[in-house]
Amino acid sequence: MTVTRRDFAAAAGLGLVGALLPGERRMTLADRIMAEPAEPIPPFTFKIEQQVGKIAAGGYAREATVKEFALSEGLAGVSMYLKPGGLRELHWHALAAEWAFMDRGRCRITVFDPDGHNEVVDLGPGDIWYFPRGYGHSLQGLGPEETHFVLIFDSGHFSEYGTFSITDWMGLTTPNVLSQNFSTPQATFANIPKKEVYIAQGRVPAPLPSDPAPGTERVGSETHRYRLMAQAPHEFPGGTIRLASSVEFPVSRTFTGAYMTLKPGALRAMHWHPNADEWQYYLSGRVRVTLFGSSGRSRTEEVGPGEVVYIPRGFGHHLESLGPDEARLVLGFNSGIYQESSLAQWLATVPPEIVTDNTGIPESTVAGFSRSTPGIIASR
Ligand code: MN
Ligand code: MN
């Protein structure tokens, strides 16, 4: 017997319109664009740093979720600033894994895994972190300057403002239960916050011991920090790419992060990603981004520092660096396996007569196409 969606909803007694069967995926806006050739491609850039955001004692955050940025259903992002000692409180996320790129300053992270390990480690500019979905964590600015990092989450429905924070939970719990839970008198909890703190103004923590005393550390086998800028970059004539998938950064099982530089006039070659959506945050430069959306549709937008780009899985795209400054950007993909298909490499590796019949380009020309992926091409 075949169980239809209606049977499933009725059997569950829910009567929900559009309830999903296990394993079924809801149609995203990008899916609907592909299904409806008359639909134009919607905006795919977002000015995250122009958002008011959420301000707390120890810092502030601005976010881009599917609520503000309709196309970005596969990934969400946050730009966060912490004062020295500013503590993004102990919390977890039920909906998404968290990845971050350190832009400025220094930050201490703690991450608590379900085996009871607790990693405490410091990060500086160019370092990244990854927390699997549901793992408890905290972030703290180490000063002396303000700390800035870009967070990316592997669901566009994620909101930084709707996370599971310990002050929120404990503030909602009766003193009697707290007393029993921690085996300590009720008076212990008389002055705890009554609602979510979000970013507390804490004390700048002491340096971590370079040689911890035996038995004082309880750390798992996998670190949650990766030094992306310390990696030797993939060098191309027009720029560089550093990339950390689950191959380079094993704990990052659901996410690939990258850092790219584009010289003025360079072209990030025409390509697409078969298995992941892409989210970009621009640190510097001016870039013209073009998205190819099938059925005679493409859309071009220009972005600069503090702006975000979202590229749905499978959509063709390329980036033109407009100068005068070098463009620098942080990129995230919602898969731990990195896949990229390049148009130029494809046409160079398919039998040339197919390309000639398909495009009219002479076989002698096609035979000269480079068979390696072009990556980033220099200004001509
Ligand atoms: Mn978090
Ligand atoms: Mn791409």
Side-chain angles (χ1 to χ4, degrees):
M1 174 189 135
T2 312
V3 179
T4 65
R5 173 184 295 198
R6 181 173 300 191
D7 293 338
F8 181 79
L14 302 171
L16 294 174
V17 177
L20 297 181
L21 286 166
E24 237 185 348
R25 198 169 72 91
R26 201 175 295 279
M27 256 195 139
T28 64
L29 177 53
D31 292 337
R32 292 198 294 277
I33 293 162
M34 287 182 276
E36 296 291 341
E39 283 292 315
I41 297 174
F44 61 83
T45 65
F46 183 73
K47 295 183 190 317
I48 193 170
E49 298 295 359
Q50 289 186 11
Q51 304 302 299
V52 174
K54 182 166 171 173
I55 300 158
Y60 57 102
R62 298 160 174 155
E63 72 176 11
T65 76
V66 71
K67 211 187 274 180
E68 299 86 24
F69 185 19
L71 187 61
S72 68
E73 288 186 61
L75 294 150
V78 173
S79 178
M80 189 176 286
Y81 298 81
L82 296 177
K83 296 177 190 168
L87 174 67
R88 175 69 181 96
E89 73 166 300
L90 293 161
H91 68 281
W92 73 94
H93 309 290
L95 196 60
E98 170 174 328
W99 180 96
F101 176 87
M102 284 289 297
D103 172 31
R104 279 199 312 274
R106 292 167 60 242
C107 187
R108 177 164 304 171
I109 62 172
T110 73
V111 52
F112 174 59
D113 77 17
D115 296 323
H117 302 126
N118 209 329
E119 184 177 26
V120 181
V121 67
D122 293 348
L123 294 90
D127 293 342
I128 62 175
W129 70 72
Y130 175 88
F131 305 146
R133 180 171 64 186
Y135 282 30
H137 54 276
S138 67
L139 319 168
Q140 189 165 28
L142 297 177
E145 74 269 62
E146 184 180 66
T147 297
H148 176 231
F149 45 87
V150 178
L151 297 150
I152 314 179
F153 300 87
D154 57 3
S155 166
H157 294 271
F158 168 91
S159 172
E160 170 65 11
Y161 316 149
T163 63
F164 292 78
S165 299
I166 63 155
T167 52
D168 195 6
W169 196 9
M170 291 171 73
L172 289 166
T173 307
T174 63
N176 189 37
V177 167
L178 290 172
S179 168
Q180 191 173 2
N181 189 72
F182 290 97
S183 303
T184 186
Q186 287 195 21
T188 308
F189 307 100
N191 297 315
I192 63 167
K194 296 291 177 281
K195 59 184 181 56
E196 187 189 36
V197 167
Y198 187 55
I199 304 175
Q201 181 55 63
R203 294 161 294 165
V204 174
L208 292 174
S210 56
D211 195 9
T216 59
E217 282 207 329
R218 188 159 159 71
V219 178
S221 57
E222 284 182 327
T223 179
H224 298 81
R225 178 189 71 176
Y226 180 79
R227 312 209 102 147
L228 186 60
M229 287 307 280
Q231 182 187 86
H234 300 272
E235 299 261 12
F236 299 100
T240 62
I241 299 175
R242 290 176 170 86
L243 191 127
S245 70
S246 57
V247 175
E248 296 81 9
F249 185 22
V251 77
S252 186
R253 280 182 263 283
T254 67
F255 200 90
T256 295
Y259 175 85
M260 189 187 299
T261 63
L262 301 168
K263 293 175 187 166
L267 173 71
R268 172 71 176 109
M270 299 163 80
H271 69 282
W272 72 99
H273 306 284
N275 70 335
D277 304 301
E278 173 174 346
W279 195 97
Q280 307 172 341
Y281 177 93
Y282 285 79
L283 297 166
S284 70
R286 295 273 336 149
V287 172
R288 188 187 292 140
V289 184
T290 300
L291 205 58
F292 166 56
S294 79
S295 305
R297 292 167 298 180
S298 75
R299 182 182 175 107
T300 298
E301 295 188 54
E302 253 184 60
V303 285
E307 296 184 59
V308 167
V309 165
Y310 182 81
I311 294 160
R313 179 177 61 187
F315 280 50
H317 54 285
H318 61 270
L319 314 178
E320 296 165 88
S321 177
L322 302 176
D325 300 326
E326 178 184 68
R328 297 182 298 121
L329 55 149
V330 176
L331 305 92
F333 304 86
N334 48 7
S335 172
I337 314 253
Y338 182 71
Q339 291 185 344
E340 169 185 330
S341 293
S342 141
L343 178 63
Q345 188 181 32
W346 189 16
L347 299 197
T349 53
V350 82
E353 60 273 22
I354 291 182
V355 180
T356 299
D357 290 353
N358 197 156
T359 67
I361 301 169
E363 269 184 53
S364 54
T365 305
V366 173
F369 285 176
S370 166
R371 297 172 72 85
S372 61
T373 176
I376 306 165
I377 300 147
S379 172
R380 39 188 329 164

